Amino acid sequence: MPAVEAIEMTGSDADAHAPIPALWQRGADPAALLLLAHGAGAGMDHPHLARLSGLLAERGVAVLRYQFPYVTAGSRRPDPPAVLHATVRRAVAFGARRFPELALFAGGRSMGGRMTTQAAARGLVPAVRGIVLFAFPLHPPKRPGIERAEHLSAVAQPMLFLQGTRDGLCDLALLRPVLAPLGERATLFVSDGADHSFRVPKSSGHRACDIERLLAGEAASWIRGRLER
């Protein structure tokens, strides 16, 4: 897989915030850059996120994984939403400034994806061409609801939702009616048998690496489709 480089995302001269730790990965001649945020329970170096990043880089999508402040500080409690939104905004601004030759996309796994859509709904990431969401957390475990999706109608960018049929944080019977009114702004890809971590039962005959390749292929294909429009 393409090599991984640790970098620091710094702001403009007027930005007094601490740098954002990030991991940069690209293959040969990428056409797009995906800013990828991690989930609530693990940082940017989580093995699943690392494998997805490498597979995307192999498919022509450079990836910049970045870390929220609470993980860098050694805490397990996520930062307040305003801090998370600001981090997404700063990461996107850095990507646009550092790699202006690449079409810019953003997204993340679980909470990281939800924070990205919330930032987009607030107009904080106008440079982003589309949003890629791995396991969007529609609701808490065993508490089905759609309140976490109320902001999606305010997101101007197209969104790709990659979900599993056994995801305990996203009842697809609730998600589909939420996405339907969004029309072409929302694309749903469903991985049969996958849970919130995209693990599948052994009885499925599939391995975790098979699902990850499938997810990366779908995401890369969707991104290419946005570039052709």
Side-chain angles (χ1 to χ4, degrees), residues 12-135:
S12 63
D13 292 341
D15 192 340
H17 295 285
I20 301 170
L23 297 171
W24 165 246
Q25 199 165 10
R26 64 176 290 169
D29 301 320
L33 167 62
L34 175 61
L35 279 297
L36 198 58
H38 58 79
M44 63 182 177
D45 56 354
H46 188 274
H48 174 64
L49 208 59
R51 289 190 296 268
L52 281 175
S53 298
L55 290 166
L56 284 164
E58 289 179 342
R59 288 158 174 76
V61 179
V63 179
L64 199 50
R65 284 176 273 155
Y66 63 94
Q67 194 136 278
F68 290 117
Y70 75 96
V71 177
T72 303
S75 174
R76 297 183 63 86
R77 182 188 294 273
D79 301 300
V83 174
L84 300 175
H85 298 160
T87 304
V88 173
R89 176 190 60 77
R90 292 176 56 214
V92 168
F94 175 87
R97 186 171 61 250
R98 178 76 176 270
F99 306 102
E101 74 280 8
L102 298 177
L104 197 60
F105 291 78
R109 162 158 175 72
S110 194
M111 182 201 73
R114 185 162 69 100
M115 291 303 107
T116 302
T117 56
Q118 288 183 356
R122 289 162 172 76
L124 301 179
V125 291
V128 167
R129 299 271 294 271
I131 299 174
V132 179
L133 304 158
F134 294 98

Side-chain angles (χ1 to χ4, degrees), residues 156-174:
Q157 294 93 336
M159 295 168 282
L160 172 64
F161 293 79
L162 300 123
Q163 307 290 149
T165 57
R166 294 192 307 118
D167 190 338
L169 278 68
C170 184
D171 184 337
L172 293 176
L174 295 177

